[in-house]
């Protein structure tokens, strides 16, 4: 087996994932792009493990560890994104960063404002 084929495919997958992380604004799409990057690394690990004919199969063992870490990362990341979407109403990363910078209170909490009370004042 030629090592170039899986290496080129892994490089393409990693580049697509990197583009997704840098260009996307939706937090769920950013998480999906990170998963693409991790899968590119997994493909490289397995390809080099087969090419080197490692008797311990360390590349495949490390791939299983990476898959487990990626599953935990996705589970926690999606839970955080869903909670933020419930509280803020958006999962747009730029808007979330802007609302964090606009906060006047040190702990980040803002009092709910009512348009009627502001108009009466």
């Amino acid at each position: 087996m030629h090592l170039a084929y899986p290496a080129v495919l892994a490089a393409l997958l990693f580049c697509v994932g990197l583009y997704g992380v840098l260009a996307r604004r939706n937090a769920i799409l950013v998480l999906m792009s990170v998963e693409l990057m991790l899968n590119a690394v997994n493909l490289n690990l397995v390809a080099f493990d087969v090419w080197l004919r490692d008797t311990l199969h360390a590349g495949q063992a490390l791939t299983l560890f990476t898959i487990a870490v990626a599953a935990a990362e996705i589970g926690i990341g999606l839970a955080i994104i869903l909670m933020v979407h419930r509280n803020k109403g958006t999962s747009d990363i730029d808007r979330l960063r802007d609302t964090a910078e606009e906060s006047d209170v040190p702990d980040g909490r803002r009092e709910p404002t009512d348009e009627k009370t502001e108009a009466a004042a």
Side-chain angles (χ1 to χ4, degrees), residues 2 5 13 16-17 22 24 26 31 40 48 50 57 61-62 76 78 85 88 94-95 99-100 106-107 113 118:
H2 293 285
Y5 299 131
L13 276 175
V16 169
L22 296 176
R24 299 293 177 196
N26 191 346
L31 280 177
F48 276 98
V50 170
H57 299 293
L62 192 57
I76 292 173
L78 281 177
H85 189 271
K88 302 287 184 179
D94 292 335
R95 288 185 184 175
T99 57
D107 65 352
T113 58
E118 287 181 2

Side-chain angles (χ1 to χ4, degrees), residues 7-108:
V8 168
L9 180 62
L12 289 174
L13 276 175
F14 193 85
C15 289
V16 169
L18 186 64
Y19 173 75
V21 167
L22 296 176
R24 299 293 177 196
R25 294 184 180 170
N26 191 346
I28 294 175
L29 292 177
V30 170
L31 280 177
M32 289 174 59
S33 299
V34 169
E35 284 295 315
L36 272 177
M37 293 166 60
L38 286 173
N39 286 330
V41 170
N42 287 341
L43 181 61
N44 265 338
L45 284 171
V46 171
F48 276 98
D49 183 51
V50 170
W51 185 63
L52 293 174
R53 295 187 173 100
D54 186 15
T55 57
L56 295 176
H57 299 293
Q60 294 178 19
L62 192 57
T63 297
L64 290 174
F65 179 72
T66 307
I67 290 171
V69 169
E73 175 252 337
I74 282 296
I76 292 173
L78 281 177
I80 291 171
I81 290 171
L82 286 174
M83 188 59 66
V84 167
H85 189 271
R86 283 184 187 171
N87 291 336
K88 302 287 184 179
T90 183
S91 62
D92 188 7
I93 294 175
D94 292 335
R95 288 185 184 175
L96 294 176
R97 184 177 30 214
D98 292 341
T99 57
E101 292 172 357
E102 292 174 1
S103 178
D104 298 331
V105 182
D107 65 352

Side-chain angles (χ1 to χ4, degrees), residues 109-115 117-118:
R109 296 183 184 179
R110 298 186 77 182
E111 294 295 322
T113 58
D114 189 18
E115 294 177 5
T117 56
E118 287 181 2

